[in-house]
Amino acid sequence: MRIRSLGVIDDAVVELSPGFTAVTGETGAGKTMVVTSLGLLLGGRADPALVRIGAKSAVVEGRIALRAGATAAIRAEEAGAELDEGALLVSRTVSAEGRSRAFLGGRSVPVGVLAELADELVAVHGQTDQQGLLRPARQREALDRYAGDAVAGPLAKYAEAYRRLRAVVGDLEELTTRARERAQEADLLRFGLDEIAAVEPLAGEDTELAAEAGRLGHAEALASAAALAHAALAGNPEDPESVDATTLVAGAHRALDAVRSHDPALAALAERIGEVGILLGDVAGELAGYADDLDADPLRLAAVEERRAALTGLTRKYGQYGDGIEAVLAWAQQGVARLTELDGDDDRIGELTAERDGLRGELSVLAQELTDARTEAAARFADAVTAELASLAMPHARVSFAVRQVEDAEGVEVDGRTVAYGPTGADEVELLLAPHPGAPARPIAKGASGGELSRVMLAVEVVFAGTDPVPTYLFDEVDAGVGGRAAVEIGRRLAKLAKSAQVVVVTHLPQVAAFADRQLLVEKTSDGTVTRSGVTVLEGEDRVRELSRMLAGQEDSETARAHAEELLATARAEG
């Protein structure tokens, strides 16, 4: 992290170790600004009072390495951020007027996005800032991971059954709540189908009737035209001197046929004229028959128009303009299928009800398995954390998990009671602490002071080591009110936790700092600020000198130096 104009820090860079980093320094040197800076990067509240006097704004920038496929990486990319070789660049600016801006992977984002990522990146345990395992949902997830296959197996089956039940309940609710609408729809379909069935339309019938109506309505004009055309082609029997086309064409054919042998071209024309004569004869014959067959029955015309009116009425109601009777027939086909579906609602409701009851019974069995497995794992967990607390200067503290359910008449049966249920079972899981004998067990956020709470969370994280997906832990005041052997035990456990995650600790105890893989010293300059050179990595003699100061308040005390070297040797031997 790079920190600028934040509190006593003017401009400083903090490089955290992949394992265990201890941040030390004299009181008021600015150690807690490391915690504050990280809190700002995680979407914490922006307090303008944090901005250094005389500066326009405070800026915190961080580079966070992410595992491939990590949830935080996916969420960041969804927000438009770009990863830099597997790392995420985060920046937070707080102005002296109180305005705050957040940047993620080079893209400006709402501060809330940083807070979302925080749940996946860092668990903060300090005097006032608590995240991660203090939330009941995370406690339940952690307990499930701690329980292992005993919970994972039935939980997977439960989740699948729950998903199916939600789908069945949704279908059932739709059928029952829309019963009146569906009944009205069925009535309208029946009316329409009955109306269409009464008319009995046929495909293409409207087109055929339109043509017939045209013939019947103009029968006289059609007959007169046919007679005139026939006379022009075949002659008028009542006028022997009239000239007709058939006779003229026949004369032309005879004239050419007489000389066709002298010129092939003329012979070809003679053949074509002969074909015309044949065609004229055929047409003349059909015209004679047409006139004889033409029906001018006005009763038939009335019947055709009546039928056309009935078909038009259907088309207007059930077809689309220009689609004709085919659209009506298509509507009827779809209507029959939909009516069959609607008429089967009662049967479908019965089937869904039976399926819902069966799935609830299945969920009851699986929820009971989950409750039993969680209860057993919670007991093992409580014993393990309580044992850890005994070594962390809290010998009388007792941690327990409350695995309970809420009664709900519409729920599933667990332990002989009908209780509420959700996608992860019927259990509400909460971590409780009784700090001393006779004290009631209360949620851990309310049952301990800040320093005690940090130690409780350290014990919890040690027991959960490897099961909690959060890659980084930050502890502030974890050693409050602790010294001697208990402080060494805290250092040991922090080092143990650091084997599976990144651990950052702000501490004033040398017994804790000695176990760190890297120790950072925060120092103020003579003008009371922390500059870039004010945060240094301690190694060799410098680290021994700082541990001596933390032990005795004197860097050059031989006794303190010997003790500091002993602490480092012990920590290295155990590491």
Side-chain angles (χ1 to χ4, degrees), residues 321-385:
Y321 183 79
D323 288 344
I325 204 64
E326 278 72 14
V328 176
L329 295 174
W331 182 93
Q333 183 178 9
Q334 296 171 1
V336 169
R338 177 61 174 163
L339 186 59
T340 301
E341 178 184 341
L342 293 173
D343 286 342
D345 277 358
D346 291 341
D347 295 337
R348 180 62 177 155
I349 289 175
E351 293 172 359
L352 289 174
T353 301
E355 186 176 1
R356 179 201 62 191
D357 295 342
L359 287 171
R360 278 187 174 173
E362 183 180 346
L363 284 180
S364 293
V365 174
L366 293 170
Q368 184 70 61
E369 289 185 35
L370 286 173
T371 298
D372 293 343
R374 285 170 176 156
T375 302
E376 188 276 333
R380 287 190 290 112
F381 165 85
D383 291 341
V385 174

Side-chain angles (χ1 to χ4, degrees), residues 230 233 246 275-289:
H230 180 269
L233 294 178
T246 303
E275 293 173 357
V276 169
I278 294 172
L279 181 59
L280 288 176
D282 291 341
V283 172
E286 291 183 14
L287 285 173

Side-chain angles (χ1 to χ4, degrees), residues 34-35 57 95 100 107 117 120 124 153 169 173 193 212 252 372 394 420 437 439 443 448 455 559:
V34 175
V35 180
S57 62
S95 72
S100 171
R107 179 68 63 86
L117 297 180
E120 306 295 334
V124 180
V169 169
E173 287 179 352
L193 292 172
E212 185 178 359
D372 293 343
M394 297 181 67
R455 274 177 277 155
T559 302

Side-chain angles (χ1 to χ4, degrees), residues 59-391:
V59 180
V60 181
E61 299 168 313
R63 188 174 189 272
I64 303 173
L66 297 176
R67 295 189 300 267
T71 303
I74 296 173
R75 179 65 186 92
E77 290 177 340
E78 289 175 349
E82 294 184 3
L83 300 184
D84 179 18
E85 297 180 353
L88 184 63
L89 301 180
V90 186
S91 177
R92 183 82 180 277
T93 302
V94 182
S95 72
E97 291 79 21
R99 294 188 300 274
S100 171
R101 297 188 66 186
F103 295 88
L104 189 66
R107 179 68 63 86
S108 178
V109 297
V111 174
V113 174
L114 300 187
E116 291 178 24
L117 297 180
D119 290 340
E120 306 295 334
L121 295 175
V122 181
V124 180
H125 303 304
Q127 289 280 60
T128 59
D129 192 4
Q130 298 288 343
Q131 299 177 14
L133 282 172
L134 285 191
R135 295 187 293 108
R138 180 59 65 84
Q139 292 173 12
R140 195 266 310 155
E141 293 172 3
L143 178 61
D144 287 352
R145 285 190 294 272
Y146 179 80
D149 292 340
V151 166
L155 182 58
K157 296 178 182 177
Y158 178 94
E160 174 60 23
Y162 181 84
R163 183 193 62 77
R164 296 203 322 269
L165 177 60
R166 290 294 87 201
V168 169
V169 169
D171 291 344
L172 190 57
E173 287 179 352
E174 180 183 2
L175 288 177
T176 54
T177 57
R178 293 184 55 200
R180 177 176 296 179
E181 295 177 14
R182 296 167 77 89
Q184 292 175 345
E185 182 183 357
D187 288 343
L188 289 174
L189 285 173
R190 289 191 185 91
F191 177 83
L193 292 172
D194 289 345
E195 192 172 12
I196 293 172
V199 176
E200 296 182 341
L202 300 175
E205 183 181 5
D206 52 344
T207 302
E208 295 175 1
L209 289 175
E212 185 178 359
R215 292 194 303 273
L216 291 172
H218 302 83
E220 292 184 3
L222 292 173
S224 175
L228 289 174
H230 180 269
L233 294 178
N236 186 351
E238 297 178 0
D239 184 6
E241 296 182 358
S242 63
V243 179
D244 58 84
T246 303
T247 301
L248 293 173
V249 170
H253 180 263
R254 286 194 299 272
L256 295 179
D257 191 55
V259 295
R260 63 183 300 168
S261 60
H262 303 300
D263 187 352
L266 202 59
L269 292 175
E271 290 181 2
R272 291 170 64 186
I273 291 177
E275 293 173 357
V276 169
I278 294 172
L279 181 59
L280 288 176
D282 291 341
V283 172
E286 291 183 14
L287 285 173
Y290 175 84
D292 294 337
D293 296 338
L294 189 61
D295 187 3
D297 185 359
L299 295 179
R300 174 57 186 168
L301 177 59
V304 168
E305 293 294 354
E306 183 179 356
R307 179 67 175 173
R308 290 185 67 202
L311 295 179
T312 300
L314 293 180
T315 302
R316 288 173 179 171
K317 285 186 178 181
Y318 308 108
Q320 295 180 355
Y321 183 79
D323 288 344
I325 204 64
E326 278 72 14
V328 176
L329 295 174
W331 182 93
Q333 183 178 9
Q334 296 171 1
V336 169
R338 177 61 174 163
L339 186 59
T340 301
E341 178 184 341
L342 293 173
D343 286 342
D345 277 358
D346 291 341
D347 295 337
R348 180 62 177 155
I349 289 175
E351 293 172 359
L352 289 174
T353 301
E355 186 176 1
R356 179 201 62 191
D357 295 342
L359 287 171
R360 278 187 174 173
E362 183 180 346
L363 284 180
S364 293
V365 174
L366 293 170
Q368 184 70 61
E369 289 185 35
L370 286 173
T371 298
D372 293 343
R374 285 170 176 156
T375 302
E376 188 276 333
R380 287 190 290 112
F381 165 85
D383 291 341
V385 174
T386 300
E388 289 287 334
L389 289 177
S391 299

